[in-house]
Structure formats: C-alpha cells, structure tokens
Amino acid sequence: MTGDTPGTQAPSTDAAAALIGALVAGGVRHLVLSPGSRSQALALVAAELERRDAVRLHVRIDERVAGFLALGIGRETGTPAALVCTSGTATANYLPAVLEAHHTGVPLILLTADRPPELRGVGANQATRQPGLYAGFTRWEADLPVPNEVDESGGSDQTSMLRQTAGDALAAARGETGRPAGPVHLNLPYRDPLAGALPRWLAAPVGAEPSDAAPPEPSGALYQGGGGIGGSEGANEPGVDTGLDAVLERGPRTVVIAGADAGAGAEALAHEGGWPLIAEIVSGARFGRHLVHGYRTLLADPRLGGRIERAVVFGHPTLSREVAALLSRDDVTVLALRGPGEALNLNGSTAHVDAVSVAPGATDREWFGAWMRASQEASIDLSPPAPDPDALSSAVPDERLPAIAAELAVLRAPVDRAALVDAVWRATWPHDRLVFGSSRLVRVADTVLGGKKVRVHANRGLAGIDGTIATATGIALASQDAVGGAAAGVTRVLLGDLAMLHDVGALLVPPAEPGPRMQVIVGNDGGGTIFDGLEVAGVAGPEAMDRVLYTPHEVRLEAIASAYGWEYRRAATRSELDQALTAGSATRLVIEVPLAR
C-alpha cells in the first residue's frame, strides 16, 4: 500500500514513515525486521522503502537471529542497521545482541513497537515494561510519545520531532555524542489503528549514497584504537587516564598486543617501533615480520615474557590466560588504545590513550631479535609432507609402492582440529571474510596458525556461542551489498557443533531475499569438548561431565542443512575438506568435519 493507494491514513503509519525515512536519509542502509502486530506500521514503511530500492530489507522470524544479523552488518560496515520488532518477548530476544554490541562498540538502532502507556502494567496482552529494558547497555534511549496526528504535508511538529529523534539516534549509535559507538533504543508506543495508507510525502533518501565501506585503518605515524577496548565506558575507573595522546619512548622493553577487532594499526605500530607483535587470530593484525608465533609459551618464559616492561594494547584480548596475566601485572606499564567497547584495566592502573606515536631513536635489536628467534623456533608447520616425485616415478616397485602408500595415507588421514583450522585459513583470502565462533576451534587456531592479512570477525565482547551464524550472515550480506553481490568473496564461519545448534535458526533465509555467499564449517565432536581443558575436567566424573557439560547429541547435520535449503558436504579427510572449501558452485554450504572427542 503506497501513498498513491486510496485508504485512511493513521498516526502510527505517518510517525513510522517520518522516523524510518529520516534514518534512511541519514545513512541507514539495512533494516532487519521480525513480523508482528504492534509493529505493522513500521513494517509497511520498510517494505515500501525496499520497493523503491532505498534500503536492503532482511526479514527474520526469530528476533534473536535478527539482532545478531544486524550486529554482523554493523560489524562489517561500521554503520548501524535498524532493527524492527513488535512488543512483548520480541524485545527481550534482542538483549544478547545488545550486550555484544555494547561490549564491542558496534553501532545498532533498535525500534521496538509497544503498547501505549495506559496498557502497561494492567495485564494487557503482549505488554511489558519495555522502556529501560536494555538500561546500562545503550548509548541513548527514548520512550517516544504516542503519535496522535495525521500529517498531510510532512511538516507537522510530530514529524519534525521524529526526524530530529532519528538524527539523535544515528549520532549516538555512531559515537558522535561524546560516548563510544554502540546500541541505541527507541521505544515506539502505538494506539489503534496500527496501520494506514502510507503518506504521499514518504521519500527515499536524498544526497550522497550511504557507504558500506569499512572505516579506514589508521595510517601515518599516529596510531589510533580500532575497537573493542577503552573508551568512555571506563573513564571513571580508578587509575585510568583518558583523553591522552602518548608518545612512546623507545627505552622500555615493549610488546604490542592485538586483541579482537584491533585492526592493522597494531601491526603498523609494532613495525615502526621495532617491537614484537602478539596478535590474536581474531585481531585482524596477525601478519607482518614482527608477528610472534607461539606467543603463549614465550609469554610464560621468564627470559622473554618475564622481562616485558611495557605493553601497548589494541582491541580486546580474550583468548589466552597468558596475555591476561601479563596485562594484570603491576610491574608492567599498560597503555590501551581507546576504542568503542568496554575499558581494559586488569592491573588497576592501565592508561587509556586516544592515539600513540613513536619517539625517534634506535630500535632495541637485542630485545626484538630474542623474540624473533624464539618465534621462529615456536612456529608450527602444518603443511602435509611433500610428495617424492622421484620415488613416485621410479620403475623399482620397492621405491614406488611405499611412495604411493605414503601419498594415499596423507589423503586418507582423518582431519584433526589443527588440520581443520589450517585448511580454512589457507582457503581464505583478503576478499573473503572469516568468522570464528566461541568454540574450542578458535583457541586451536590462535595457537597454531601463522600470519595472513585477511578480514576476521568474532563476537569476543562476551565470547558467547549464541548468534554466530546470524552474525556471519549479516557480515556476508553487507560485504556482498558493498561490492555488488557476485563479486564478493566467501564468508566462512568456523564453529563447533554446539555453537551451530545454538543458532540453527539463522540458517533460515527467506526465498525472496538474496542469499549469503557463505560456508558454515562445523567441527563436530558430538558435544562441548572445550571443557576438557578446564578445571572441572580434573574434579568431575564422566557421568557428570556428559550430563551437564559435554551435552552430547546425535543430531544429523545433513538433515538440518537439507531442511533449511543449504547444500551439505561431509569432509572426514584433508583432501575432502580442501575440495569442499574451494567448491565454487554452492552459494550456501554446510561443511561437517567429524572430530575425535
């Protein structure tokens, strides 16, 4: 129903048109919507803007999936997606994604339809206390007044107020109001009638087209925080300085730490300072000549880790106890680059700085050289043994047959976790995207993989397993939209079987929407074997471990993939896995890799 269609206008629809139209005009490129009754005016406006090709609309029946889908879009683009849902439990299902967006500083705008104030707290259907539902985790929130007028011209006080509200919401979500980027909540109460004819003044955005390009990486001699750490969320913590630009003198023995979402600035600083780079696999900084291999072992070595005097931190480190122990020491000066997420202050005296530069002077070659020699010794070569061409072509059976047997053994060898992460890493290139779930595999990857400059994502703000596939879907769709669909690379998400089952609803893609170019690679060991490496494994019996920690299952992933319309391949050997990862025919592919307990 468009503005040219006869019908009765309703205040709810005019208000929805003013608000969403202003968000789109302000740069919102993606709307993620879950159907519902109270939100029908918002939904009709979204559908009309999609018809005009003013936005990309994504419809998901599960609000938790929708929330993480929008989170993935914000992660990839740096621009908030707008979420639309009805009242009641629908709003609560956004909370996990809101928490992750808060802790990692991902921009997000929530538009939650609501009952009017007179229906709150009186037992009305689908009514709860939605204002303040995400309190403490939003950059700004507002419980808007109930629309009470039809706007014939598009210039009423109500329309002007809603357009101003949209601008305020965008500024807060983008981090333009003195607080870091993050989620914003607009609660939208509506009275009957809940939908009417769309106003004639509903317009597509004007001016420059919004860009989905990722924010530029830091360049030059001034290095700034890229995300995930620091910021005004921790500005009032004891012992934390904020609002500083630091010039790093060359004297102290220094390491650069790159956690989740650190970006290439960490590698650039390590290169200029001549310092070792300790980069998590999810940092986006795991490349370059200063990269330290096997950093866990080296940090625990008193000849290296024990001599560190200063650590400069980009992003949000979460993957190793050794890094956490280093950043907790009171004899190490810790400087954390401010980003949009939660502040780092493990030692109680971490300094937060806006930017860093390196003072002139000579590199400490002894310090850097010691790390690089140890790094070379600690590096792991996961390449399969090279074939022996002379033996394979030999006419002597005693030489040729063992060489053939050796080659067959390599091809038929079952895939273990190290081989799995290595195969995925080798198959991924700069035009692709790689998303790690918070499963055992991300720690294996962090331990064994070398350097490579690829775009990596992971929800490490709270390191939960929920929403992994949905987040990756948002990343895939946004990256495809930015480069024109077919030209986009593949988004690969590597996760465990429980993380996959936890987010299986994210596999549902409406047939009317473009599907993601995506591979869901599931390391299936039949349960949560990450608990093997935790303290509980030393105190709990096997029955208790199975019942309340491993949570074993017998789910047939092939049947799940088929039910949701995804192609499926099982890869039990390295050759099968390599073939599946490089298959170009499947747009949506589930690859199951059986792993030993």
Side-chain angles (χ1 to χ4, degrees), residues 212-412:
D212 278 335
E217 296 288 3
S219 61
L222 191 66
Y223 303 96
Q224 297 176 308
I229 254 187
S232 58
E233 294 305 302
N236 296 322
E237 294 183 13
V240 179
D241 297 322
T242 59
L244 304 175
D245 291 348
V247 178
L248 302 177
E249 300 296 334
R250 291 183 176 271
R253 292 187 291 272
T254 301
V255 293
V256 177
I257 306 288
D261 303 321
E267 191 277 335
L269 178 68
H271 183 82
E272 182 175 349
W275 297 315
L277 172 64
I278 295 169
E280 292 183 343
I281 194 66
V282 295
S283 66
R286 200 179 182 109
F287 63 93
R289 292 183 297 161
H290 291 245
L291 179 65
V292 173
H293 301 276
Y295 71 81
R296 287 174 171 83
T297 300
L298 305 190
L299 284 176
D301 187 338
R303 297 168 298 177
L304 293 171
R307 298 174 63 211
I308 294 172
E309 297 175 329
R310 181 173 63 189
V312 184
V313 186
F314 289 70
H316 184 196
T318 60
L319 287 178
S320 74
R321 295 184 178 185
E322 290 81 4
V323 168
L326 170 67
L327 301 180
S328 300
R329 284 167 47 181
D330 56 14
D331 63 333
V332 174
T333 298
V334 181
L335 290 86
L337 273 292
R338 294 181 64 199
E342 191 172 41
L344 174 80
N345 190 20
L346 298 181
N347 64 357
S349 59
T350 296
H352 294 153
V353 296
D354 293 316
V356 293
S357 58
V358 181
T363 298
D364 186 341
R365 295 185 179 275
E366 184 277 328
W367 174 245
F368 177 66
W371 277 90
M372 291 300 99
R373 288 189 295 273
S375 170
Q376 186 174 10
E377 294 175 0
S379 64
I380 299 173
D381 184 4
L382 295 172
S383 304
D388 184 345
D390 293 334
L392 289 171
S393 60
S394 173
V396 180
D398 288 345
E399 296 176 354
R400 185 177 71 257
L401 294 178
I404 294 173
E407 282 300 289
L408 291 175
V410 169
L411 294 175
R412 295 169 179 171

Side-chain angles (χ1 to χ4, degrees), residues 524-557:
N524 187 359
D525 55 17
T529 61
I530 193 172
F531 295 104
D532 285 335
L534 302 181
E535 293 85 350
V536 67
V539 297
E543 291 185 5
M545 288 288 288
D546 268 356
R547 180 65 175 144
V548 297
L549 293 171
Y550 284 144
T551 53
H553 66 88
E554 297 178 353
V555 177
R556 292 177 53 238
L557 300 189

